Amino acid sequence: MSENQIHLTFPDGTVRTYDKGTNALQIAQSISAGLARVALGAVLNGRQIELKRPINEDGEIKLVRWEDEEGKTMFWHSSAHLLAEALQEIYGDVKFGIGPPIDNGFYYDVDFGEQKISEDDLPMIEQKMHELAKQKNEFNWYLVAKDKAIDYFKKKNDHLKLDLLENLKDGDISFVEQGNFVDLCRGGHIPDTGYIKAIKLLNVAGAYWRGDEKNQMLTRIYGVSFPKKAMLDEYLARLEEAKKRDHRKLGKELGLFTFSQKVGQGLPLWLPKGAELRERLEAFMRNAQKEAGYSPVVTPHIGHKDLYVTSGHYEKYGADSFQPIKTPHEGEEFLLKPMNCPHHCEIYKSSPRSYRDLPLRLAEFGTVYRYEQSGELHGLTRVRGFTQDDAHIFCRPDQVKDEFKKVIDLVFKVFNALGFEEYVAQISLRDQEDRSKYIGSEANWDRAESDIIEAAAEKNLNTVIAYNEAAFYGPKLDFMVNDAIGRSWQLGTIQVDYNLPERFELEYVGSDNDKHRPVMIHRAPFGSLERFVAVLTEHCAGEFPLWLTPEQGIILPISDKFMHYAEKVLHELNKCDIRVSIDERAEKIGKKIRDAELKKVPYMLIIGEKEVENEQVSVRKHKHGDLGSMSIEAFKEVIAEEIKV
RNA sequence: GCCGAUGUAGCUCAGGGGUAGAGCGCGUCCUUGGUAAGGACGAGGUCAUGGGUUCAAUUCCCAUCAUUGGCUCCA
């Protein structure tokens, strides 16, 4: 073994030996010309590097192409540099923050000083990027001493990069240069700008420097880029498709819900069809909860301020909430309830509890009101008044894990019934550095956190751990599901709480005849009905499962001569709880079918002379077409069969 | 809350300093039709609200409200 050689392990396990200073491009060429042609960069010991960066160490290496996750990352990261270069060319003296790749594209945070940027400016910037891309400028990575780097950005008067530099370790700093643009950058770039063939700048947004609202707000430009024009077209087409699934659009089209400026922002109004659907979801959950040993309770929409002082919510959220309402004479203060748990604690306290009573599971579809920031409101997914399928489980400490697992089962029951296959189970734990922001003892937190982790592991959940995401009173397990345009929303949630029982001084008498403190588990499998319906709508693109959908079928008489029989069919089906209506309009059958298809009605029952004669209905299924004629009884069975699943 | 955009008929949107238009929907009539759009006629708008500029504002400017893309937040 020579000191001038390096040993590199490839993903398939083979080890190859090269001279020190060999670069990834040469390595790719040594494997195949094809690989060298498509390689965008390499990953060496977990670090992304350029093809031409000399390699001087042993380790694991992977050559990456566009098809690889890292390939896209490097491509988009490089595109961000290109964006910055274009901005510098156009606007001159602007300061650059950070420009990372994201899931679908990249952004750059920029301080434009006095200049204002709006979406109208994007095409011009895109144009400039294309120009610069055509120059095929190489991305050159090189090292600079830290003090030299500081000098460089001082000269440019770039406070953002200086701020970044301050937080970097001493020693050499890496720079990347392409064309006339030099940036502070760790690296991982594609060979040159010429690879970037298709660019679309998507939007302009404000973003706080370093994500802290105390800092200056920078202008963030989002974009996406591709090595081929066709890929961009495909991506944009997918975005258009996704927009069609947007629950705000579908909710309007299907008559599920609406908002009124007069009622107030973030306060949804459920229309008859939406309300019906929601009631069916509630019934589903009531049933499941009954089976799982929950007891229903009902509590009012407001509660005395003292209740929330006791719970700690007032201290934590009081100033940023809807303000208390006062009784006219006594001046007593009440809050719109932001949570159901304090009320449930009082129900727990309404009677002495024995260890034999535990676990006590109190369930309520509780409507709560929270003052969400106006900029955060979004359709039904983020609102100011919403109903949780809430329940609180009061149990002994040794029952926590078991109860937790039962709730996980309940969540899966929901997800299975509604076809949510893709979710992320996020375990939210404390901030590892700052523990001052949490209520409750260290020992309780430790125990709660380990209970969750163990329960999740025993249920084989695919989990991610998120530090600093816990509620202020306890750790939690959230089930996150994506919406149509890829945003992640929390649906089901399970939270351990060792804190409220203490604040409310909840007790039970143990088998030892001593008093003990119960543990609380907050849980909501749907989360909020509003958000759940929103995400469900997007998930199934408005084509709800038959058991849930407001309109299961529509009867389409070919002419009004058959209206009498249509009504007979209607009554026959309604009698069996099959939700159908009649399209009584004087339209041709093709028109009625088209409209029913557009309304996504699952079954169309066409009735004409033949059907009347044979006492049948001609069945047409949404998106499938004609299923042929059958008796009313047979159709009922079709429905029954589909609902069973 | 902060940065950007938007607000015209029930819906989707066009227009533009001289008080408005399309398609769909809706209503009436004709048509009574067989698996994704039959025809005619008609009703519908203080152009989000409040100020300002102007002889004149729906159009330009400012503010407010709402919606929207992000950021921050999210019991």
Side-chain angles (χ1 to χ4, degrees):
Chain A
M1 256 219 277
S2 153
E3 281 189 13
N4 292 322
Q5 293 196 313
I6 48 171
H7 305 278
L8 296 173
T9 311
F10 289 79
D12 65 359
T14 56
V15 179
R16 288 166 183 251
T17 305
Y18 295 94
D19 289 339
K20 235 181 202 176
T22 304
N23 65 35
L25 182 60
Q26 293 162 329
I27 292 170
Q29 279 158 349
S30 79
I31 295 171
S32 84
L35 179 59
R37 205 164 45 240
V38 297
L40 293 178
V43 179
L44 175 69
N45 292 326
R47 291 193 321 275
Q48 297 181 3
I49 60 170
E50 292 74 17
L51 284 180
K52 289 197 175 164
R53 204 193 292 186
I55 298 173
N56 294 311
E57 58 186 292
D58 290 346
E60 293 180 8
I61 191 164
K62 179 182 167 192
L63 288 151
V64 301
R65 305 155 303 161
W66 165 259
E67 289 71 24
D68 299 303
E69 217 35 60
E70 297 96 331
K72 290 190 180 64
T73 303
M74 290 169 100
F75 193 91
W76 285 328
H77 181 188
S78 305
S79 301
H81 282 280
L82 181 63
L83 167 60
E85 186 184 1
L87 293 173
Q88 184 179 266
E89 294 272 314
I90 297 171
Y91 298 97
D93 186 29
V94 292
K95 313 291 189 296
F96 295 100
I98 56 166
I102 50 178
D103 283 354
N104 276 304
F106 59 90
Y107 67 78
Y108 219 118
D109 281 349
V110 186
D111 176 3
F112 282 95
E114 295 303 303
Q115 303 179 85
K116 290 258 180 215
I117 300 299
S118 85
E119 258 154 62
D120 298 339
D121 302 315
L122 296 182
M124 180 208 8
I125 301 170
E126 260 171 43
Q127 189 52 42
K128 180 58 89 177
M129 286 174 76
H130 279 296
E131 270 171 42
L132 294 168
K134 285 205 185 107
Q135 295 174 5
K136 300 191 180 178
N137 295 317
E138 286 189 15
F139 287 96
N140 291 314
W141 181 92
Y142 59 92
L143 291 169
V144 176
K146 184 167 178 178
D147 51 343
K148 287 241 175 79
I150 292 176
D151 282 349
Y152 175 80
F153 285 113
K154 267 194 182 147
K155 225 178 283 163
K156 279 188 84 176
N157 201 17
D158 192 331
H159 58 289
L160 301 172
K161 291 294 180 192
L162 288 170
D163 187 25
L164 287 175
L165 274 170
E166 248 175 58
N167 289 286
L168 289 177
K169 274 194 228 116
D170 288 343
D172 287 344
I173 302 295
S174 62
F175 273 53
V176 169
E177 174 191 54
Q178 101 268 7
N180 293 316
F181 182 69
V182 177
D183 204 352
L184 169 71
C185 188
R186 193 170 352 149
H189 299 85
I190 58 177
D192 67 64
T193 57
Y195 284 68
I196 303 169
K197 303 278 195 223
I199 303 163
K200 178 78 185 170
L201 297 180
L202 297 164
N203 50 44
V204 177
Y208 300 108
W209 174 234
R210 291 178 171 281
D212 188 333
E213 61 183 324
K214 291 186 207 81
N215 289 342
Q216 176 193 5
M217 179 160 277
L218 305 175
T219 303
R220 175 173 297 180
I221 297 178
Y222 283 93
V224 68
S225 58
F226 295 92
K228 284 185 188 150
K229 172 83 166 61
M231 290 179 175
L232 174 63
D233 293 340
E234 195 190 318
Y235 174 79
L236 293 176
R238 260 210 321 278
L239 273 190
E240 283 306 307
E241 275 310 301
K243 273 191 199 155
K244 290 185 192 156
R245 303 170 78 103
D246 191 314
H247 77 277
R248 292 166 299 185
K249 180 177 155 64
L250 287 170
K252 196 177 270 176
E253 283 171 10
L254 302 175
L256 300 181
F257 63 91
T258 188
F259 288 89
S260 146
Q261 204 166 319
K262 263 202 169 132
V263 172
Q265 56 176 166
L267 300 170
L269 304 173
W270 289 81
L271 302 173
K273 285 190 176 157
E276 263 182 57
L277 185 144
R278 175 185 154 138
E279 279 184 1
R280 236 162 264 128
L281 280 174
E282 285 186 20
F284 171 87
M285 184 55 67
R286 283 209 167 89
N287 230 4
Q289 286 180 166
K290 199 169 173 187
E291 275 174 33
Y294 287 79
S295 312
V297 294
V298 177
T299 68
H301 285 228
I302 63 173
H304 203 285
K305 181 180 138 186
D306 287 349
L307 183 68
Y308 300 101
V309 171
T310 301
S311 71
H313 292 111
Y314 188 79
E315 185 196 348
K316 185 89 182 169
Y317 294 102
D320 300 315
S321 293
F322 284 119
Q323 290 306 291
I325 33 184
K326 284 187 190 173
T327 56
H329 305 301
E330 305 85 343
E332 275 186 296
E333 295 186 301
F334 290 82
L335 291 179
L336 281 168
K337 77 174 166 188
M339 294 198 78
N340 302 300
C341 33
H343 290 77
H344 292 184
C345 285
E346 288 302 308
I347 290 179
Y348 181 92
K349 284 185 88 166
S350 66
S351 136
R353 307 288 177 183
S354 139
Y355 73 99
R356 295 173 194 276
D357 301 330
L358 304 184
L360 180 68
R361 308 181 187 94
L362 303 180
E364 170 175 24
F365 287 90
T367 303
V368 296
Y369 299 89
R370 297 177 183 174
Y371 180 81
E372 304 288 2
Q373 295 189 106
S374 61
E376 190 51 50
L377 299 172
H378 180 93
L380 279 187
T381 49
R382 195 73 187 271
V383 288
R384 285 178 171 168
F386 57 96
T387 302
Q388 299 174 310
D389 58 329
D390 208 359
H392 296 93
I393 300 169
F394 300 85
C395 63
R396 303 193 308 261
D398 61 287
Q399 292 171 319
V400 167
K401 210 163 90 182
D402 233 33
E403 284 302 309
F404 212 88
K405 282 156 69 181
K406 283 184 194 159
V407 179
I408 293 175
D409 288 338
L410 200 55
V411 172
F412 278 130
K413 191 165 191 168
V414 171
F415 281 16
N416 288 338
L418 295 160
F420 286 118
E421 276 145 26
E422 286 178 34
Y423 66 89
V424 173
Q426 176 180 306
I427 299 179
S428 300
L429 305 177
R430 279 169 294 182
D431 185 338
Q432 294 200 294
E433 271 114 55
D434 178 13
R435 303 212 149 164
S436 64
K437 47 191 171 183
Y438 305 103
I439 297 176
S441 78
E442 188 79 13
N444 281 346
W445 269 88
D446 288 343
R447 177 157 194 179
E449 289 184 346
S450 62
D451 276 340
I452 292 187
I453 291 167
E454 284 168 28
E458 285 169 37
K459 281 287 163 193
N460 288 321
L461 293 190
N462 206 358
T463 53
V464 297
I465 299 230
Y467 292 100
N468 197 16
E469 289 295 322
F472 75 94
Y473 54 76
K476 55 183 181 170
L477 173 64
D478 292 325
F479 291 83
M480 326 281 288
V481 175
N482 281 2
D483 71 6
I485 38 182
R487 280 179 293 213
S488 176
W489 295 98
Q490 176 208 306
L491 294 182
T493 179
I494 319 175
Q495 316 186 356
V496 181
D497 187 346
Y498 284 91
N499 171 53
L500 273 190
E502 276 190 34
R503 292 184 152 261
F504 280 89
E505 299 179 327
L506 305 184
E507 291 175 336
Y508 66 88
V509 177
S511 55
D512 55 4
N513 204 28
D514 269 348
K515 290 191 168 166
H516 300 275
R517 185 126 296 163
V519 181
M520 255 174 101
I521 298 172
H522 310 245
R523 43 104 283 175
F526 289 143
S528 97
L529 268 308
E530 283 72 8
R531 181 176 291 178
F532 191 85
V533 168
V535 176
L536 176 63
T537 302
E538 305 203 349
H539 179 75
C540 64
E543 291 160 20
F544 297 103
L546 195 62
W547 66 272
L548 195 57
T549 197
E551 192 167 25
Q552 294 174 316
I554 185 161
I555 300 169
L556 310 179
I558 285 183
S559 94
D560 54 14
K561 279 187 286 196
F562 315 113
M563 200 57 80
H564 183 70
Y565 179 64
E567 274 164 18
K568 187 183 154 204
V569 174
L570 176 80
H571 292 134
E572 186 73 22
L573 293 174
N574 282 347
K575 227 166 43 188
C576 306
D577 279 332
I578 297 174
R579 302 183 286 278
V580 293
S581 59
I582 302 177
D583 184 346
E584 294 181 337
R585 296 174 305 166
E587 293 290 352
K588 287 176 126 170
I589 194 65
K591 171 71 168 162
K592 290 184 181 181
I593 288 171
R594 178 181 156 80
D595 287 346
E597 289 281 357
L598 291 176
K599 273 164 67 193
K600 305 176 198 293
V601 181
Y603 286 99
M604 284 150 269
L605 303 177
I606 294 143
I607 283 173
E609 199 170 349
K610 269 187 294 182
E611 287 72 25
V612 175
E613 264 172 35
N614 304 324
E615 291 262 307
Q616 285 188 325
V617 287
S618 170
V619 180
R620 184 188 161 98
K621 191 170 182 182
H622 174 57
K623 281 167 86 176
H624 285 80
D626 198 352
L627 297 187
S629 289
M630 59 182 81
S631 69
I632 299 172
E633 285 310 311
F635 176 67
K636 283 186 203 164
E637 263 167 52
V638 168
I639 297 284
E641 191 57 34
E642 189 172 334
I643 284 176
K644 213 190 293 170
V645 182

